[in-house]
Amino acid sequence: MMLRLLRERLAPYRSWLAMVVVLQFVGVVAMLYLPSLNADIIDEGVAKGDTGYIVRVGAIMLAFSLVQIVCSVTAVWFGARTAMGFGRDVRAALFQRVGTFSTREVQHFGAPSLITRGTNDVQQVQMLVLMACTIAVASPIMMVGGVIMALREDLGLGWILAVVVPALFLSVGFVVSRMVPSFRAMQARIDEVNRVLREQITGIRVVRAFVREPHEAARFGTANDELTDVAIRAGRWLATMFPLVMLVVNASSVGVIWFGGHRVDNGQMEVGALTAFLTYLMQILMSVMMATFMLMMIPRASVCADRIVEVLDTRTSVPVPDDPVVPDPARRGHLDLDTVTFAYPGAESPVLEDVSFSARPGQTVALIGSTGAGKSTLVNLVPRLFDVTAGEVRVGGTDVRRLDPEALWAGIGLVPQRAYLFSGTIRSNLLHGKPDATEDEMWRALGVAQGRDFVETLPERLDAQVAQGGTNFSGGQRQRLAIARALIRRPAIYLFDDAFSALDLATDARLRAALEPVTTDATVLIVAQRVSTIMDADLILVLEEGRIVGRGTHHELLADNETYREIVTSQLAAEEVA
């Protein structure tokens, strides 16, 4: 999968990669000529006392050095641009793919894993690309060129190369083979650490409320220790590599000087040639070491690439239609569910089964039932956060699976069960609902949502800072801001998924009274746990185990529906029931 990822995502950078190869080739070739020129200075210039020759060859060496420096720097620049561009493109592709996911795919991967794949995993593959552009290209050229130039200096010492290079490959290969399993395990351990850390940060209030800090510290400590153990195991093998390589390098250097010295003494070799041969041997061994660094990175980058490709290959369960249409303007706000059934893949029983109802502009339809009855799932079917397993959900008279997603979402104002605010300001959060909203529209929406009073008390008012998730506001304040964000766009259909749960009864009542004149031309679908929130709804649907077991107004259901009556009597005093 890694080769496929690199092939697909590096395609736009082929010209830059070609430049890297050409520049690295020219730079390495220029560098390879330097020891040979240095040998000529020793054997021809110094030995014969020819100063002019030394100056001329020295000038050539300086020119070759400049060429090598310029080519190397330029190659690294192109390589870095390629690697950074590759990382940017992969992150963008992951973000776009995750943006198309339904709730089902997000739950399958898990938010911590998706974050790790979009950051750490991409960084590992990006680093491999950078190293490939600098090391992987130069190493083979240096190794092959070094062997050729060394043999060109003296064939008699060639047998040292035949012994040393394979010995270095085998020793380093043995160490790398022991490091591969540890690198594979490290990525899974990083995932686990991120998951535990994210859970603890998100749920810090719950942890403190139940005095579970020691338990959570121990749980994080376990995950952290497991990652540390794997990293130490890989580090121990890595620590053995450098002494091993230095042993081979030093032994080979001694061998060249020993046997080369005898050849110089016998007149079979010049002193300059011996110096050049020794330099080429070091270059060959350095190229082998550089190649081994690449080998060390490949296993971990391969695991990361597999995880990235897994996300990129996942298709959303709510695909965009091939020939999308827009809702019929004449049926603005029309919402119909026709024998809708929804089941999760592999589930024994459906979450919703044979659910049907219709709602029209000016109507308020309420859903009530026990926890797990399928209320939130039903609401999520309208904006296509899920797709039905059977039946149809129609908005504006058209099945939502045939609608243009942008047109569908533009006509819906959703306030989810857990109100979420983005980091920024109150103003920027309201602009999520309507990007061109005026300040007057913002204040009107806040007024209807019963949020104007507390916003006006803030020193910065609309420009007050909002922390990620809105954690610097109370639950009720977050809900009112989320409701205002939905109101400001004046959609055709309002979806309130238990959006009043954090409000006190008085604020709830004021909010519902303020909503009534604003939503006269829109359809309102409310999920609620409190009966007081839905008593005035035009139609109340009672859900139990995914089925509608009652429908009607509050008084009708109170008279003839046992399930609804049980819910009401469990919440309201006897005088309120009447």
Side-chain angles (χ1 to χ4, degrees):
M1 285 190 180
M2 184 171 69
L3 291 176
R4 176 185 146 203
L5 178 68
L6 295 175
R7 184 173 61 252
E8 292 176 354
R9 299 296 166 178
L10 286 175
Y13 304 98
R14 286 175 181 168
S15 58
W16 285 8
L17 289 172
M19 286 294 297
V20 169
V21 173
V22 171
L23 289 168
Q24 290 280 23
F25 180 82
V26 174
V28 172
V29 169
M31 182 181 66
L32 287 171
Y33 268 102
L34 293 176
S36 182
L37 292 171
N38 185 57
D40 288 343
I41 289 177
I42 295 172
D43 295 336
E44 300 295 330
V46 176
K48 298 179 181 179
D50 190 344
T51 304
Y53 184 84
I54 295 173
V55 171
R56 288 195 303 274
V57 177
I60 295 172
M61 287 183 69
L62 182 61
F64 272 78
S65 298
L66 289 174
V67 170
Q68 190 262 330
I69 292 170
V70 171
C71 288
S72 296
V73 170
T74 310
V76 170
W77 186 86
F78 276 108
R81 289 292 301 270
T82 300
M84 298 307 109
F86 167 84
R88 177 200 60 203
D89 294 347
V90 174
R91 281 191 296 271
L94 281 169
F95 180 80
Q96 291 172 358
R97 176 64 66 189
V98 173
T100 67
F101 284 173
S102 71
T103 306
R104 181 185 299 176
E105 286 79 47
V106 174
Q107 291 173 347
H108 168 71
F109 286 106
S113 181
L114 288 173
I115 292 171
T116 303
R117 293 171 198 238
T119 53
N120 184 272
D121 289 2
V122 173
Q123 188 177 16
Q124 295 298 327
V125 183
Q126 177 180 286
M127 186 59 64
L128 178 70
V129 173
L130 177 61
M131 299 300 285
C133 290
T134 54
I135 292 178
V137 174
S139 293
I141 302 172
M142 186 183 298
M143 184 164 52
V144 175
V147 170
I148 294 172
M149 295 300 289
L151 295 177
R152 183 168 166 266
E153 292 296 331
D154 188 74
L155 282 172
L157 294 177
W159 65 271
I160 295 179
L161 298 178
V163 172
V164 171
V165 173
L168 188 58
F169 265 119
L170 290 174
S171 58
V172 172
F174 173 77
V175 174
V176 170
S177 68
R178 293 297 184 272
M179 294 170 62
V180 168
S182 297
F183 281 133
R184 291 186 181 277
M186 276 180 65
Q187 215 58 31
R189 298 292 188 273
I190 291 173
D191 248 3
E192 181 65 15
V193 168
N194 285 341
R195 184 185 66 80
V196 173
L197 188 59
R198 188 174 187 272
E199 283 182 355
Q200 293 179 356
I201 293 174
T202 306
I204 186 65
R205 297 165 76 180
V206 178
V207 172
R208 289 176 178 170
F210 287 92
V211 197
R212 299 291 286 174
E213 291 97 333
H215 170 77
E216 293 300 323
R219 195 159 71 97
F220 178 79
T222 300
N224 195 27
D225 288 344
E226 288 177 353
L227 173 60
T228 303
D229 291 342
V230 174
I232 288 175
R233 190 160 60 246
R236 285 172 180 162
W237 282 107
L238 182 62
T240 64
M241 179 178 294
F242 292 100
L244 192 62
V245 169
M246 291 310 298
L247 175 64
V248 175
V249 169
N250 291 331
S252 60
S253 299
V254 171
V256 168
I257 294 173
W258 176 262
F259 293 105
H262 284 294
R263 291 180 64 79
V264 170
D265 186 54
N266 295 332
Q268 297 173 308
M269 189 178 188
E270 299 290 339
V271 174
L274 176 60
T275 304
F277 192 96
L278 185 60
T279 304
Y280 287 128
L281 177 64
M282 293 300 103
Q283 290 180 348
I284 294 167
L285 296 180
M286 284 299 298
S287 67
V288 174
M289 288 178 62
M290 290 162 60
T292 58
F293 281 119
M294 282 295 302
L295 291 175
M296 289 164 52
M297 296 183 65
I298 288 174
R300 188 174 183 183
S302 178
V303 174
C304 295
D306 291 346
R307 287 155 51 89
I308 292 169
V309 172
E310 184 183 4
V311 175
L312 294 176
D313 283 350
T314 299
R315 295 291 179 263
T316 178
S317 57
V318 288
V320 177
D322 295 330
D323 188 18
V325 298
V326 297
D328 184 356
R331 296 185 178 184
R332 183 181 185 274
H334 287 215
L335 174 63
D336 302 278
L337 274 74
D338 185 7
T339 60
V340 164
T341 296
F342 176 79
Y344 289 102
E348 295 182 0
S349 58
V351 180
L352 294 170
E353 189 172 0
D354 198 25
V355 175
S356 298
F357 71 88
S358 296
R360 296 294 179 262
Q363 278 189 314
T364 297
V365 177
L367 303 172
I368 195 168
S370 59
T371 301
K375 304 183 296 298
S376 294
T377 301
L378 190 151
V379 170
N380 289 335
L381 293 175
V382 179
R384 284 197 78 197
L385 301 183
F386 295 109
D387 263 346
V388 297
T389 307
E392 285 187 356
V393 177
R394 294 190 293 273
V395 170
T398 306
D399 190 332
V400 293
R401 289 170 294 189
R402 295 181 51 226
L403 290 175
D404 179 5
E406 296 294 333
L408 171 65
W409 298 330
I412 293 175
L414 172 65
V415 184
Q417 191 171 19
R418 182 183 176 187
Y420 188 88
L421 302 178
F422 297 93
S423 57
T425 63
I426 292 176
R427 185 191 302 274
S428 66
N429 273 274
L430 294 177
L431 290 175
H432 271 282
K434 186 180 180 183
D436 59 346
T438 64
E439 193 161 309
D440 287 341
E441 288 177 311
M442 294 182 193
W443 284 117
R444 281 198 298 272
L446 286 168
V448 174
Q450 306 304 301
R452 181 166 188 151
D453 291 345
F454 83 82
V455 173
E456 285 181 332
T457 63
L458 299 172
E460 301 90 352
R461 292 161 67 90
L462 288 174
D463 294 314
Q465 290 298 309
V466 178
Q468 184 179 8
T471 54
N472 57 330
F473 292 101
S474 69
Q477 290 172 334
R478 285 199 299 271
Q479 282 194 339
R480 282 177 277 174
L481 290 174
I483 292 169
R485 182 173 59 195
L487 287 169
I488 201 170
R489 73 189 308 173
R490 302 302 297 270
I493 299 173
Y494 289 93
L495 303 175
F496 297 109
D497 185 5
D498 207 9
F500 311 133
S501 59
L503 306 180
D504 60 83
L505 292 175
T507 305
D508 186 347
R510 290 197 302 270
L511 176 56
R512 285 186 285 110
L515 274 175
E516 191 172 343
V518 175
T519 59
T520 53
D521 61 343
T523 301
V524 179
L525 184 61
I526 297 177
V527 171
Q529 298 289 348
R530 288 200 303 241
V531 173
S532 59
T533 302
I534 63 169
M535 287 175 64
D536 299 326
D538 299 297
L539 175 65
I540 299 174
L541 303 176
V542 184
L543 278 145
E544 187 173 348
E545 295 182 354
R547 287 179 171 273
I548 295 178
V549 296
R551 65 176 72 212
T553 63
H554 169 69
H555 293 290
E556 290 171 350
L557 290 170
L558 202 58
D560 60 15
N561 189 275
E562 182 64 28
T563 302
Y564 185 74
R565 193 158 44 241
E566 289 176 1
I567 294 172
V568 172
T569 54
S570 69
Q571 295 185 26
L572 303 179
E575 62 269 20
E576 292 177 302
V577 174

